Amino acid sequence: MSDAHFHRHQMHHSAMTKNVVLELTLAHTLRMTGISMAGLILPLYLGTSGYSLREIILYFLVMAATWVLALRPAARFNAYYGPIASMAASLPLTIIWVLCIAFIDPASQWFLPTAVLWGIFIAQYWQGMRVAFATSLPPKQAGRDIAIVSGIVLASSAAAPFVGGVIAQEAGIVVLYVASGAIIALASGALWMLRGRWKRKEFHPETVPPQTIRRYLIANGSSEIEADISGWFWTLFIFIYVPTYAGVGALSSVIITSSIVVSLYVGWREEQRGAKHYLREGSILMTGVNIVRIGAQGASGVAGINILAGLGHALTETPYVTEYYRHVRERPSVEYVYWMNFAASSACVLLLLVLLALTYFFDDKTVLLLALLIGGPASFAVRYIR
């Protein structure tokens, strides 16, 4: 191949890669916006529908246990049909889930299967998404590209919790979840625009022995615990001080908004300074935030803590994902992502089992406070991804 031909080939490949990343980003952004609008409200919706904290934890436990069980068949699908097909297949299930939440009475026996549906589509989507992005991003500038992707997703979903809260409060849960489903349907359209070939293969988890990636599994499990505490139990804690959907949504949007600029800056500087510095600083900050959360008083106190949480997430998000995707490229991608998801889902189950046990010994507010304390060491262990 001549130099000129090689150069043209590289330019063509680079353009194709950028197009794939842009289309993946569009689909992921739409999906995350739809989920952000509705997902934040779910624990509050269950609580206001008469569920006790123990029953809310049990609902989440069914979700997480299904996630664990659905991972292996989802990984086989991912290996055989490809990551984009895996992402696309999950979105109709996601739409069915949000519509079921909208139209099935939480007191009905038919409501619990919605937790099972959540576990299935989460296993399908996130395995495909991780492999798709890891294999599409240019390795040499992954940090910058991940920062841009994160910035776009954060910017589009910054207002989503607040908008979702306002819709739920003013128009009702049904309207909120129908709107969420419509946005996720747009994500389906964006994914089907992608064209690509995937070399079909068998799924062999033994090709990535989990003991060889133990450090990364601890980091991903810890990251999941921190995310669950922030997304579910901190949300319920906020509701004690701001007992409206719109108020909780507005305070949760503060976290995302404060993350955007810092996330972009970290991605830009990461190549010069290195990921480990930002991971260390961000994990220390988030450890402190999770401990300080137990002393939050009133809306202003919650807002201040959420600003700090946004900064902590921004410091860790880009270098964490950069390291994650680097590991994916260095190993059999589907198998590595499967084990990382297995660690995350298993950690989620463990967290919920511990909190469920605590509900038999402590009142609801004490259990929420203990959950926030668990977030401290979990945030600290995120640094082990490096």
Side-chain angles (χ1 to χ4, degrees):
M1 183 184 290
S2 69
D3 289 343
H5 187 192
F6 177 78
H7 180 68
R8 286 195 300 273
H9 173 77
Q10 290 292 91
M11 291 286 287
H12 177 65
H13 176 74
S14 176
M16 288 181 63
T17 299
K18 285 183 179 179
N19 288 338
V20 170
V21 172
L22 285 172
E23 289 171 6
L24 280 172
T25 301
L26 173 61
H28 185 55
T29 299
L30 289 168
R31 190 258 184 198
M32 290 301 294
T33 301
I35 288 291
S36 295
M37 283 177 58
L40 175 81
I41 300 302
L42 180 60
L44 307 182
Y45 176 50
L46 296 177
T48 55
S49 297
Y51 280 52
S52 66
L53 179 60
R54 183 181 301 161
E55 289 169 333
I56 293 173
I57 292 172
L58 279 169
Y59 180 87
F60 289 149
L61 185 57
V62 173
M63 292 165 63
T66 306
W67 182 16
V68 174
L69 296 174
L71 279 174
R72 190 170 286 256
R76 289 197 184 100
F77 186 99
N78 196 10
Y80 192 76
Y81 293 104
I84 293 173
S86 187
M87 293 170 68
S90 77
L91 293 181
L93 298 176
T94 311
I95 295 168
I96 293 170
W97 175 76
V98 297
L99 293 178
C100 286
I101 296 292
F103 292 107
I104 298 178
D105 185 348
S108 167
Q109 62 179 343
W110 296 106
F111 194 78
L112 188 60
T114 62
V116 175
L117 193 57
W118 183 95
I120 294 171
F121 78 70
I122 285 294
Q124 193 77 38
Y125 181 83
W126 280 100
Q127 290 190 86
M129 192 280 287
R130 290 300 193 196
V131 174
F133 271 104
T135 54
S136 299
L137 288 165
K140 289 185 179 180
Q141 56 186 55
R144 294 185 184 185
D145 286 347
I146 288 168
I148 292 170
V149 170
S150 297
I152 293 171
V153 174
L154 287 169
S156 66
S157 58
F162 174 65
V163 172
V166 171
I167 292 174
Q169 187 167 312
E170 300 299 328
I173 289 292
V174 171
V175 175
L176 168 64
Y177 279 93
V178 169
S180 174
I183 293 172
I184 295 168
L186 294 176
S188 300
L191 272 182
W192 287 116
M193 287 175 4
L194 282 168
R195 295 290 181 268
R197 298 191 175 206
W198 176 259
K199 186 177 180 181
R200 292 181 174 181
K201 52 188 177 182
E202 297 296 321
F203 170 63
H204 296 291
E206 68 276 4
T207 58
V208 181
Q211 63 270 21
T212 65
I213 56 170
R214 187 180 297 112
R215 184 183 178 91
Y216 308 145
L217 297 178
I218 292 172
N220 209 49
S222 299
S223 177
E224 179 62 32
I225 288 174
E226 198 283 322
D228 293 338
I229 289 170
S230 293
W232 293 339
F233 300 105
W234 175 236
T235 298
L236 287 167
F237 190 81
I238 294 174
F239 201 61
I240 295 173
Y241 297 107
V242 188
T244 65
Y245 289 147
V248 173
L251 288 171
S252 298
S253 290
V254 169
I255 297 179
I256 301 173
T257 304
S258 66
S259 299
I260 296 173
V261 175
V262 177
S263 181
L264 291 170
Y265 174 77
V266 169
W268 189 261
R269 290 285 298 167
E270 182 190 332
E271 294 173 13
Q272 288 77 34
R273 195 178 178 200
K276 66 179 181 180
H277 297 285
Y278 293 111
L279 282 168
R280 183 180 65 242
E281 293 164 4
S283 64
I284 291 172
L285 177 56
M286 282 308 302
T287 299
V289 166
N290 277 293
I291 293 172
V292 170
R293 276 173 170 168
I294 64 174
Q297 295 290 330
S300 59
V302 169
I305 290 172
N306 279 359
I307 290 172
L308 290 176
L311 296 176
H313 281 298
L315 285 171
T316 56
E317 175 69 13
T318 298
Y320 185 89
V321 176
T322 301
E323 290 299 302
Y324 189 124
Y325 289 170
R326 180 174 66 82
H327 300 157
V328 173
R329 290 191 295 270
E330 293 171 350
R331 297 168 177 82
S333 59
V334 173
E335 287 77 9
Y336 177 80
V337 169
Y338 163 76
W339 284 117
M340 292 292 273
N341 273 261
F342 184 81
S345 56
S346 299
C348 183
V349 169
L350 179 60
L351 169 69
L352 293 168
L353 285 173
V354 169
L355 295 178
L356 180 64
L358 291 174
T359 63
Y360 290 93
F361 300 97
F362 302 101
D363 61 79
D364 287 357
K365 186 173 181 180
T366 302
V367 173
L368 291 176
L369 290 171
L370 291 171
L372 299 180
L373 281 176
I374 293 171
S379 297
F380 190 80
V382 167
R383 64 173 62 195
Y384 293 144
I385 194 70
R386 176 66 175 164

